[in-house]
Amino acid sequence: MTENLLELRKLSKHFPIHSGLARRVTGEVRAVDDVDLIIKRGETLGLVGESGCGKSTTGRAILRAIEPTSGEILFHGKDGTVDVAQLGRTDLKQIRRRMQMVFQDPYASLNPRMRVEEIIAEPLICLERMSRGDRRDRVVELLELVGLNSQYLARYPHTFSGGQRQRIGIARALALAPEFVVCDEPVSALDVSVQAQVLNLLIELQQRLGTTYLFISHDLGVIEHLCDRVAVMYLGRIVEVADTEALLRTPKMPYVEALLASVPHADPHAVTAHAIVRGEIADPANRPTGCAFHPRCAYATDVCRSVAPELRNVGTRSNPHLAACHFSETLQLNGVA
Ligand code: SF4
């Protein structure tokens, strides 16, 4: 088995823009554009960026919850490698046993008309042949795994707090013992007091089950707490990938420096030494030429306006640090202290 569980190669998801009475296609939104990314077995890879940068679309495209436009999604399982992007209906159903998702909104992701037992048992009913008794035992086991009382089986979602609902969502995602879980902002809709409980639960489950997570978030504090490595997206592309500590302390791409500078500081009188990111993220239907970040970048030069930088290793062979900037080696960028 390889060290890598999942490899994205030139993964893209473009949405057509229709206009006029005839609804003709007049353009496309490149929500995910030629993304290359490796997710290692057993790690938590954080995927961060501003709203609208394409991180949730990437997560959904990996699971084929939305159909990718092009590219490969190579899943290196125990029994060989499959390209998830090419799977037919029956094979896709099988691979979904091994790849699951925890959704952002625990209020919208649980059907209010279903009891807890039915919600958690749903993947087992769809994808596993089990007797009714075995299924109930498995649901009880999962409820206990996520720290909920097995007496809650007959209750409906509205009787639970946000944190408890998210635990139910996690239990449902783990029902088939998947190797890979996409966690799409799983704590952003929760109170701060509950966020730590859910994050610690995810860490504990990973240690017990060896699950690999793609953790999508815009909260760098949460990313620092949970992730082994971090990938940063800007306008549908990956612009930096490194170990969490290296990326936060020594960023190699000005967008990441600006993102780190935007994190609110506990001390209101603390002076930020570098510029917070300016302006709005550009229109993904109308990408700027050259480096897509150049209209907002404090370090942009003429070459940035005409030549798109490649994502390349500016670290070492044993400790890679990928960055998409022409000047990664020469710029002295500030990370978090
Ligand atoms: Fe800024 Fe140029 Fe680097 Fe892009 S390539 S991040 S515009 S310095």
Side-chain angles (χ1 to χ4, degrees), residues 5-9 11-13 32 35-39 45 47 54-76 82-87 92 95-96 98-101 180-183 212-216 231 233 238:
L5 180 71
L6 205 73
E7 269 180 71
L8 310 183
R9 291 190 186 162
L11 182 68
S12 296
K13 176 63 190 175
V32 179
V35 163
D36 289 324
L37 193 62
I38 286 175
I39 303 172
L45 176 72
L47 188 57
K55 40 190 201 306
S56 290
T57 309
T58 303
R60 283 160 196 258
I62 291 172
L63 300 182
R64 298 264 309 268
I66 52 172
E67 283 301 321
T69 306
S70 60
E72 294 176 299
I73 305 163
L74 301 181
F75 183 81
H76 303 292
V82 288
D83 182 358
V84 178
Q86 299 299 325
L87 293 181
L92 187 59
I95 205 80
R96 289 234 167 95
R98 301 157 74 176
M99 304 168 81
Q100 288 287 317
M101 185 154 190
F180 174 65
V181 177
V182 174
C183 303
T212 304
Y213 294 138
L214 176 64
F215 193 90
I216 298 168
M233 269 188 107
I238 301 290

Side-chain angles (χ1 to χ4, degrees), residues 1-293:
M1 272 201 301
T2 68
E3 184 200 4
N4 304 331
L5 180 71
L6 205 73
E7 269 180 71
L8 310 183
R9 291 190 186 162
K10 303 266 175 250
L11 182 68
S12 296
K13 176 63 190 175
H14 301 166
F15 295 96
I17 300 170
H18 299 273
S19 48
L21 282 174
R23 310 293 300 149
R24 281 218 316 263
V25 176
T26 53
E28 61 181 5
V29 173
R30 296 175 166 234
V32 179
D33 201 19
D34 280 350
V35 163
D36 289 324
L37 193 62
I38 286 175
I39 303 172
K40 296 179 188 168
R41 204 175 295 281
E43 77 168 350
T44 300
L45 176 72
L47 188 57
V48 299
E50 291 167 280
S51 296
C53 70
K55 40 190 201 306
S56 290
T57 309
T58 303
R60 283 160 196 258
I62 291 172
L63 300 182
R64 298 264 309 268
I66 52 172
E67 283 301 321
T69 306
S70 60
E72 294 176 299
I73 305 163
L74 301 181
F75 183 81
H76 303 292
K78 294 177 187 109
D79 44 0
T81 298
V82 288
D83 182 358
V84 178
Q86 299 299 325
L87 293 181
R89 208 183 154 95
T90 313
D91 292 333
L92 187 59
K93 216 171 164 185
Q94 289 309 312
I95 205 80
R96 289 234 167 95
R97 301 159 66 99
R98 301 157 74 176
M99 304 168 81
Q100 288 287 317
M101 185 154 190
V102 176
F103 294 92
Q104 177 176 6
D105 186 350
Y107 294 89
S109 63
L110 305 182
N111 187 335
R113 294 194 190 86
M114 289 168 79
R115 296 175 195 273
V116 168
E117 181 175 3
E118 296 168 305
I119 291 169
I120 299 177
E122 207 175 14
L124 300 170
I125 294 168
C126 294
L127 296 167
E128 198 82 72
R129 284 197 186 145
M130 272 181 155
S131 70
R132 193 178 282 252
D134 286 350
R135 204 159 56 225
R136 173 168 278 225
D137 289 347
R138 177 75 178 135
V139 172
V140 169
E141 189 188 337
L142 286 160
L143 269 182
E144 285 168 359
L145 188 69
V146 297
L148 290 176
N149 196 315
S150 55
Q151 291 171 351
Y152 294 160
L153 279 179
R155 282 171 56 172
Y156 287 95
H158 73 270
T159 62
F160 293 95
S161 68
Q164 288 174 317
R165 287 180 196 219
Q166 197 56 297
R167 284 168 185 262
I168 295 168
I170 293 169
R172 177 177 58 187
L174 297 178
L176 296 161
E179 288 157 68
F180 174 65
V181 177
V182 174
C183 303
D184 186 6
E185 308 239 19
V187 294
S188 61
L190 303 177
D191 288 342
V192 177
S193 56
V194 182
Q195 286 187 7
Q197 290 174 22
V198 174
L199 293 175
N200 289 335
L201 172 67
L202 287 169
I203 294 171
E204 190 191 321
L205 293 175
Q206 185 177 48
Q207 285 164 354
R208 283 167 68 178
L209 308 173
T211 319
T212 304
Y213 294 138
L214 176 64
F215 193 90
I216 298 168
S217 180
H218 60 264
D219 186 333
L220 289 163
V222 169
I223 290 288
E224 183 179 16
H225 182 65
L226 198 81
C227 298
D228 302 298
R229 292 190 308 135
V230 186
V232 182
M233 269 188 107
Y234 186 75
L235 219 57
R237 293 195 181 157
I238 301 290
V239 294
E240 186 160 348
V241 187
D243 288 347
T244 306
E245 167 113 17
L247 188 131
L248 296 181
R249 310 279 174 245
T250 54
K252 299 290 183 194
M253 200 276 178
Y255 171 63
V256 181
E257 178 193 51
L259 211 58
L260 296 173
S262 324
V263 176
H265 203 284
D267 176 3
H269 303 296
V271 178
T272 305
H274 38 281
I276 287 175
V277 67
R278 304 170 301 177
E280 295 292 319
I281 193 167
D283 179 1
N286 196 10
R287 257 184 102 79
T289 56
C291 174
F293 185 57

